[in-house]
Structure formats: C-alpha cells, structure tokens
Amino acid sequence: MSITADPSMSIQPDPLKLDAWRSLPAAQQPNWPDPAVLREVAQTLAGMPPLVVASEVDALTARLGQVARGEAFLLQGGDCAETFATSSQADIAGKVRILLQMSVVLTYGASMPVVKLGRMAGQYAKPRSTDLDAFGLPSYRGDMVNELHGDVAARTPDPHRIMRAYSTAASTLNLLRAYAGGGLAALEKVHAWNTAFARNTETGNRYEQLAAEIDRAVRFMRACGVHDAALDGVELFASHEALILEYERALTRVENDGNGARAYDLSGHFVWVGERTRQMDGAHLDFVSRIANPIGVKLGPTTTPEFAAELVERLDPDGVPGRLTLISRMSNSKVRDALPPIIEKVQSTGHLVVWQCDPMHGNTEETADGVKTRHLDRIIDEVDGFFDVHAGLGTHPGGLHVELTGDDVTECIGGTADLTAADLGRRYETACDPRLNIEQSLELAFRVAERLVA
Ligand code: PEP
Ligand code: MN
C-alpha cells in the first residue's frame, strides 16, 4: 500500500521542510479511515511534551561517533513489535536485564565500551509484505495502528491508537530511565540480572562465572575507594523504526541553540528506516534526512553499492561520524558476497558510518507447519560472515541489532538447549517476528565477544 498524504496538512511555516515528505510517496502507511481524526490526533500529540530531549540525542550521536571510529560497539535489541499488553514492568525489566547481561559479556570479553540501545518505547508499528493476512483480515500493522487479535473491526486502523503508543512509550521510558540510573543497572547487580531460568542452562552457567569475576573486580575497586558513576548505572538509549510518519512528525521539535535551527525527532533517541521504506525518492528518507538524530537504514541483499553510496551522501551531508548507521540484513548465505562491495564503495566516499549487523531479518524461515522461526546457527553464521567481511577489509564491525525478549520463549530454534520445530508451540508469544530467548541471546553475545577479541 502506498499513499501520498494531503500537503495542505502543513499550516505552519516550514523552513526546515519537515513536511516535505507529505508530497512524496510514503510506503507502508495505514489506510486511516478518517483523515480528520488523524489530523486531530497529530495536533494533540504535537502539543504534548517530547519523550526525550535533544541533549540526550546529541550524546548518543557522540557515542555512535566512537563506534564509527572503531572505539566502541553498539548493541541494539528488543521486540520485533512491542505491544501495549506486553509493556508491563516485568516485560520491560526482562528486556533491560538481558541487554545488560549481553553488554557485560561484550564489554568484559572485548574490553570495549558498549553503547546500549533498546528497540523499545516506540516499536509499535510494523511494515507488512501483504495488505491481508492468511485469514483474509487486514494485516496487523503494530499496536500503534490496529489490534493483533480480533476481527475486521479490530484490524481497522484507529488514529487514537497513536496517542496510546505515545503514552505507552512515555511509561516505558520512565521505567527505562529509572532502571538505568537507579540501581538495577549497578554492576553489583551483575548476578541478579541472570534469571533463575538462565542460571540452570549451560550458557547461563558460563555467564555466572564471568559475573563472579566482575563481582570480584568491583569489590576490589570499591575497596580501593573507587566511586565512579559508571559502576552505579548505565546510559540506555531508546530506538524504533520511523514508520508512521504522522507520529514521528508530531513529536519533532525545532531547537535553536545559537548555531541555527535544528529539528529533532524526540519520539526516541535513534530511529531507523526499514528495508521496505528506504526508497531514495520516498517520504521516509526525506523525513529522516531533515532531523538531527542519529539514524539508521536497513540494507537487504538487493542493495547496490551505488545506492549505499548515494544514501550516505544524502543522509550524512556534513560527514558526522555516528550520524548514520547502516544495518545490513543480508542472510547468512549472502552476507559474505553482498556486503564487501557495499563497504568498499561507502569507504570510497570518505564518510565514517556505523556498520551494524542485523542477523535476524534475512534468516526468517517457515517450519513444515507454517510457523515463522529462525535458526540460531544461521543467525550466528551471518554474524560470523559480517565479522569475516570486516576483518578482510580492515573496517570495524560496529554493532549488533537483534530481536529478543527477557523471557524463556520458544520462537527461534537451535542454541545450546537445541530447541526444535516441535518445541515452538510451547511458548510462542511474539506479535510479529520470532525473538531470541534469554539463553539464545546470551549465547550470541558470547560468540560476538569472541569475534571482537579475535
Ligand atoms: C524489523 O526490524 O522488524 C524489520 C521489519 O526489519 P526490515 O526492515 O529489515 O525487514
Ligand atoms: Mn522484525
């Protein structure tokens, strides 16, 4: 589905052309039944406080600059689709814990700072390959748009859901901030992040040993009188796909800091454009080209080196390391051939980008029963291929982008627990794509840490 929105919706003067996207083809936008209601919701949202502030966004750009220069690693993870019903304290704490566990494995294993970015507090909209699902109902497009369960009425896009997305993002961020600064993230809690479930697994055991070493080191530092904020909390940033442009636009604010006016999309710190909406002449790339946030673009196997180079010139005109993250999602069988010419071409432009590997979206498969899953072997193989390619070119394998949950779900197969297709029915809870469970996430983190030191 592709619609061009009504350009007359922009009534304010718009020197930064934040509404230019309205006259461009916008892929994957819902067929909102009543444009007047949508307009009303967007106006209400534009008057609400932003979810993050510009100084935090700039801080993330600086951290990603370190990643682009090869001095840090980016870990980004969370649900494929966050839902309102799975935004409870337990859900959020579970995801924060596994992100902290993974980042500790990476920091300790690779002796490299890890930038922590949740796919959280805004990941409520999904692009879909078909307008109708297998039952002939309008496809579920994320909680910001329609309802996962139910009939045609439930699946009809409802603009009021955009306000619920905003308030769920606000309460999620509130908890994220509290956890990041308020104790849960202190390094003394390194054992507590390991859930009872994970502790009894082979990988969880491996984590316990590492946690014991960290514990000893922290106690030693405390005894020496070291009281550093870095031991007491973490910087945790929030990201989502910039899909529903009305939401992103309504939360965009223009800041004037003396160096001229800059627009920030304050719906989150980092937003990315997905594989299905990255048309060079489309609305999504136009919109993100005009905001000052660090941004990402997914690159699938059809990406040409020329497209990638044009993208970099277009989205990073000022050459700011950390401004642009290129997220490759090639599949394990294609990454080794498809990625090198893209990296070489981008290198030749002189721009310094973050290279991030999404080993999930190229490796989705269906079981004989038609259940969507991913095999951990293929996920690890794509990550290995990504590291091999960067080792061959002398570039920095900057980051990992994964879909995960803090629960003991059975959605992806493989791993040390050796989940098979027969296990999928036990706890298959995702609203969209299959996610790594805690043990699989940890296993992947250990693998990446090994590659980072090699
Ligand atoms: C996603 O990240 O959930 C997604 C839809 O990815 P992609 O755009 O790479 O297909
Ligand atoms: Mn997904």
Side-chain angles (χ1 to χ4, degrees):
M1 174 183 4
S2 179
I3 60 156
T4 300
D6 173 7
S8 67
M9 280 183 74
S10 169
I11 42 168
Q12 306 290 330
D14 185 22
L16 296 178
K17 299 196 167 61
L18 297 173
D19 288 302
W21 63 270
R22 295 184 187 281
S23 53
L24 299 171
Q28 299 282 341
Q29 301 307 286
N31 276 324
W32 302 107
D34 186 346
V37 179
L38 177 64
R39 201 147 36 221
E40 209 174 287
V41 167
Q43 265 162 17
T44 306
L45 194 54
M48 299 297 285
L51 293 168
V52 302
V53 295
S55 57
E56 296 172 322
V57 173
D58 288 341
L60 177 59
T61 305
R63 300 283 175 273
L64 293 176
Q66 292 180 292
V67 177
R69 284 188 287 268
E71 299 157 5
F73 188 78
L74 168 63
L75 172 66
Q76 185 176 10
D79 287 304
C80 175
E82 290 179 283
T83 66
F84 303 152
T86 59
S87 294
S88 69
Q89 177 179 11
D91 295 310
I92 296 163
K95 280 178 278 188
V96 170
R97 271 196 220 99
I98 184 62
L99 281 175
L100 291 172
Q101 281 189 277
M102 290 176 82
S103 77
V104 114
V105 167
L106 291 166
T107 313
Y108 196 75
S111 297
M112 188 174 261
V114 173
V115 181
K116 292 165 268 296
L117 183 55
R119 247 183 94 108
M120 292 172 81
Q123 186 54 23
Y124 310 111
K126 298 310 299 173
R128 302 317 295 253
S129 9
T130 53
D131 282 346
L132 298 181
D133 70 8
F135 303 99
L137 287 173
S139 291
Y140 171 64
R141 289 182 176 271
D143 270 22
M144 190 188 291
V145 177
N146 57 10
E147 245 180 272
L148 176 59
H149 302 290
D151 51 12
V152 176
R155 286 284 175 83
T156 301
D158 174 2
H160 292 111
R161 300 183 73 92
I162 294 178
M163 284 313 291
R164 248 189 106 187
Y166 167 79
S167 65
T168 310
S171 55
T172 301
L173 263 169
N174 186 48
L175 205 51
L176 283 186
R177 291 181 193 285
Y179 283 150
L184 179 74
L187 260 184
E188 264 97 0
K189 295 275 162 59
V190 67
H191 280 292
W193 301 336
N194 211 12
T195 58
F197 155 73
R199 231 172 279 144
N200 297 323
T201 66
E202 191 182 318
T203 314
N205 253 309
R206 196 173 165 194
Y207 175 84
E208 279 297 299
Q209 287 164 29
L210 182 142
E213 284 177 43
I214 292 173
D215 216 22
R216 226 172 8 251
V218 172
R219 276 186 277 127
F220 171 73
M221 281 187 283
R222 296 284 195 215
C224 294
V226 174
H227 291 286
D228 193 288
L231 302 181
D232 298 329
V234 295
E235 265 186 327
L236 186 53
F237 297 98
S239 70
H240 60 271
E241 178 173 351
L243 185 71
I244 305 298
L245 291 174
E246 289 290 356
Y247 178 76
E248 305 303 332
R249 174 63 186 96
L251 287 170
T252 297
R253 306 283 186 267
V254 177
E255 306 268 331
N256 212 320
D257 60 2
N259 296 323
R262 278 151 62 89
Y264 287 84
D265 180 351
L266 299 177
S267 66
H269 302 105
F270 175 101
V271 291
W272 74 88
V273 174
E275 172 71 358
R276 293 169 187 79
T277 48
R278 59 170 171 81
Q279 298 79 19
M280 196 60 79
D281 302 321
H284 291 82
L285 288 189
D286 184 89
F287 179 75
V288 298
S289 76
R290 298 176 195 282
I291 57 174
N293 303 57
I295 55 177
V297 181
K298 294 282 197 95
L299 298 181
T302 60
T303 311
T304 63
E306 291 68 30
F307 176 89
E310 194 182 339
L311 197 63
V312 169
E313 301 286 6
R314 169 112 189 266
L315 298 182
D316 179 34
D318 302 326
V320 178
R323 152 72 171 169
L324 181 60
T325 295
L326 294 180
I327 313 162
S328 63
R329 30 89 84 220
M330 298 293 177
S331 84
N332 68 317
S333 60
K334 296 191 179 130
V335 62
R336 291 171 179 83
D337 295 327
L339 190 55
I342 293 173
I343 296 177
E344 283 178 311
K345 187 80 183 176
V346 168
Q347 290 279 100
S348 75
T349 67
H351 291 256
L352 215 47
V353 302
V354 171
W355 294 105
Q356 190 186 31
C357 175
D358 164 2
M360 314 296 291
H361 288 89
N363 297 312
T364 313
E365 51 191 275
E366 264 190 24
T367 65
D369 300 333
V371 182
K372 242 207 277 189
T373 190
R374 290 158 171 162
H375 200 298
L376 195 65
D377 287 354
R378 286 185 63 190
I379 291 170
I380 289 180
D381 189 43
E382 178 156 357
V383 170
D384 270 333
F386 174 80
F387 273 89
D388 292 343
V389 166
H390 283 284
L393 295 173
T395 44
H396 179 50
L400 181 69
H401 181 126
V402 280
E403 291 181 342
L404 53 74
T405 154
D407 287 316
D408 174 23
V409 298
T410 57
E411 298 171 4
C412 292
I413 54 184
T416 46
D418 208 12
L419 292 182
T420 67
D423 296 306
L424 293 180
R426 209 165 64 228
R427 225 186 134 178
Y428 193 96
E429 297 173 0
T430 183
C432 196
D433 289 337
R435 305 159 297 176
L436 298 172
N437 64 24
I438 316 174
E439 190 184 10
Q440 292 166 331
S441 302
L442 265 185
E443 191 173 339
L444 182 60
F446 276 112
R447 180 72 195 149
V448 172
E450 281 163 12
R451 292 300 313 250
L452 274 170
V453 280

